[in-house]
Amino acid sequence: MKAGYQQVEEALRAVDAVTQAAEAQGLLAGMASSAGTPDKAAWIAQVLADASPRGEPAKTCLAVLVALYDQTLRELDDDGLGCQPLLPDDSGPLSERARALGRWASGFLVGMGLGGLKRETALSAEVSEALRDLDAIAQIEMDTAGGEDEEAAYAELVEYVKVAVLLVRADLRPVPAPTQKTPDRRLH
């Protein structure tokens, strides 16, 4: 099951979750970028911290969140595409899409902290700048209908967020060098 923005948003709303779809995925991406693989149950508990999941909506929400968890970690591990931020469809109002991007960036930063990144952690200049930029994006406010220039600026911000996440992950979670396998020298 591929978890889409609207599906995740509806599942969270059905259990009265305060966390929204974009923020939930950003939170997971941040947790996964600052530490090892985040605990699925801990992430779900964080997403549903203020919710009241019961009955069938709770089962549906859990299934959707599990699908989002698996999908997001697969995307983060994909060197080619990286993580696709879970955002409203491009046909929606620009102001709604911009707010969702801001919530995604905010969730990412919170996730970095939950994943173990401390203020005193030494970061490269590039990662420090990327995290500052994500903080600025988290504050985004767009109240315009969205002309061509605003649409182009939004598209650039989405691409920047993808690149920033790749940069942060590469810096904080370097790929281990391949280990040489020692040939088996036993005689049969």
Side-chain angles (χ1 to χ4, degrees):
M1 164 199 301
K2 182 160 172 58
Y5 177 83
Q6 198 59 42
Q7 180 186 27
V8 176
E9 192 68 20
E10 287 170 7
L12 290 170
R13 215 174 301 135
V15 296
D16 299 325
V18 174
T19 303
Q20 295 178 352
E23 183 182 2
Q25 189 201 36
L27 181 73
L28 176 59
M31 291 170 75
S33 295
S34 62
T37 303
D39 180 68
K40 190 183 304 184
W43 170 71
I44 291 172
Q46 186 70 33
V47 169
L48 299 177
D50 297 320
S52 53
R54 288 177 178 55
E56 201 56 41
K59 289 179 190 173
T60 301
C61 186
L62 182 60
V64 168
L65 289 177
V66 167
L68 179 60
Y69 177 91
D70 294 339
Q71 171 184 317
T72 301
L73 292 186
R74 256 192 325 276
E75 288 177 359
L76 286 168
D77 289 337
D78 181 352
D79 294 335
L81 295 176
C83 185
Q84 301 298 317
L86 189 65
L87 300 169
D89 186 87
D90 283 343
S91 63
L94 179 60
S95 59
E96 179 184 322
R97 291 180 281 139
R99 276 191 298 275
L101 181 60
R103 286 190 298 270
W104 197 98
S106 176
F108 183 83
L109 295 170
V110 170
M112 294 289 294
L114 291 173
L117 185 68
K118 305 283 187 239
R119 283 201 180 276
E120 59 273 3
T121 301
L123 301 172
S124 69
E126 293 85 9
V127 168
S128 293
E129 181 180 358
L131 293 176
R132 279 192 303 277
D133 291 345
L134 287 171
D135 185 49
I137 291 169
Q139 312 303 318
I140 194 167
E141 289 290 329
M142 264 188 181
D143 292 327
T144 65
E148 227 175 86
D149 290 344
E150 289 85 4
E151 287 289 344
Y154 170 78
E156 285 180 27
L157 282 177
V158 171
E159 288 305 312
Y160 181 82
V161 166
K162 290 186 214 178
V163 171
V165 170
L166 288 172
L167 174 72
V168 169
R169 280 183 61 82
D171 198 65
L172 296 178
R173 294 182 52 158
V175 177
T179 57
Q180 292 261 333
K181 216 176 184 183
T182 309
D184 189 4
R185 300 199 181 263
R186 292 182 288 168
L187 292 176
H188 297 275

